[in-house]
Amino acid sequence: MKTRSSEITIFYKGILEIHKIRSGLLSLIIAGSVFHALSPFINIYMSGQILNGIAEKQPFKHLLLLVLLTVSINLIIGIIASIFGHLIAINKQEFHARYQMQQSSKISRMDYVVAESPETYRLRQKIIDHANANNAGIIGLPSYIQSLIEAFFTI
């Protein structure tokens, strides 16, 4: 059974490997996750401002300005989050392609006897099966990082 420190070490090594394979992916994930996580709180805050304006009997023009500001901020944040989502998707696909090339390159550099051994085939198939079964391994790590950062900023 793995200890927490070994899991954290493996997680850190995975992050380093992702950065080595596709350097800009983690930065995009962090920025996109922040925008995605913070967007619902704009409505909460601005709704509070509108309700305070109604309670304080602010002029209609001021309330209308707050509503337009809310809609505008939502539009801008939505567009930015959408752009980041698109860039993240493209970079994840590039990461997958580069990762597959790296694995294939590693196999091609091995001696033929080692590369074609049942043990090597079994290990490679195990990596593929875990990646396909539940999005595990380094292939799924960017998605898990994205969820982790969104949850952190939501909290």
Side-chain angles (χ1 to χ4, degrees), residues 5-153:
S5 62
S6 68
E7 288 176 354
I8 291 170
T9 303
I10 291 170
F11 182 76
Y12 180 70
K13 286 180 180 179
I15 289 173
L16 290 178
E17 188 67 21
I18 290 169
H19 182 70
K20 188 173 98 177
I21 295 171
R22 183 67 188 108
S23 61
L25 179 59
L26 293 174
S27 301
L28 284 172
I29 286 174
I30 291 169
S33 297
V34 169
F35 277 102
H36 190 267
L38 294 179
S39 64
F41 298 105
I42 293 167
N43 290 330
I44 294 170
Y45 177 77
M46 292 305 292
S47 296
Q49 294 298 315
I50 293 169
L51 290 174
N52 287 341
I54 292 171
E56 295 170 358
K57 298 184 180 169
Q58 294 282 335
F60 180 74
K61 286 183 180 182
H62 180 69
L63 295 175
L64 184 62
L65 178 66
L66 288 175
V67 170
L68 291 174
L69 186 62
T70 304
V71 171
S72 299
I73 292 173
N74 275 320
L75 177 67
I76 292 168
I77 295 295
I79 290 171
I80 292 171
S82 177
I83 290 170
F84 273 115
H86 182 70
L87 291 174
I88 289 169
I90 290 170
N91 278 276
K92 278 183 180 179
Q93 288 177 349
E94 187 174 339
F95 167 73
H96 291 294
R98 286 183 179 187
Y99 177 72
Q100 296 300 327
M101 283 192 321
Q102 183 186 45
Q103 294 299 310
S104 297
S105 174
K106 190 170 203 164
I107 293 290
S108 69
R109 286 191 311 260
M110 288 181 171
D111 290 336
Y112 180 78
V113 175
V114 176
E116 292 298 321
S117 73
E119 183 62 27
T120 304
Y121 178 78
R122 217 177 344 217
L123 286 173
R124 187 154 191 217
Q125 194 59 43
K126 185 178 178 182
I127 291 170
I128 293 169
D129 290 344
H130 281 291
N132 291 337
N134 53 1
N135 207 20
I138 197 164
I139 296 293
L141 193 56
S143 298
Y144 293 132
I145 292 170
Q146 188 171 4
S147 298
L148 179 70
I149 292 170
E150 284 180 19
F152 176 78
F153 277 98

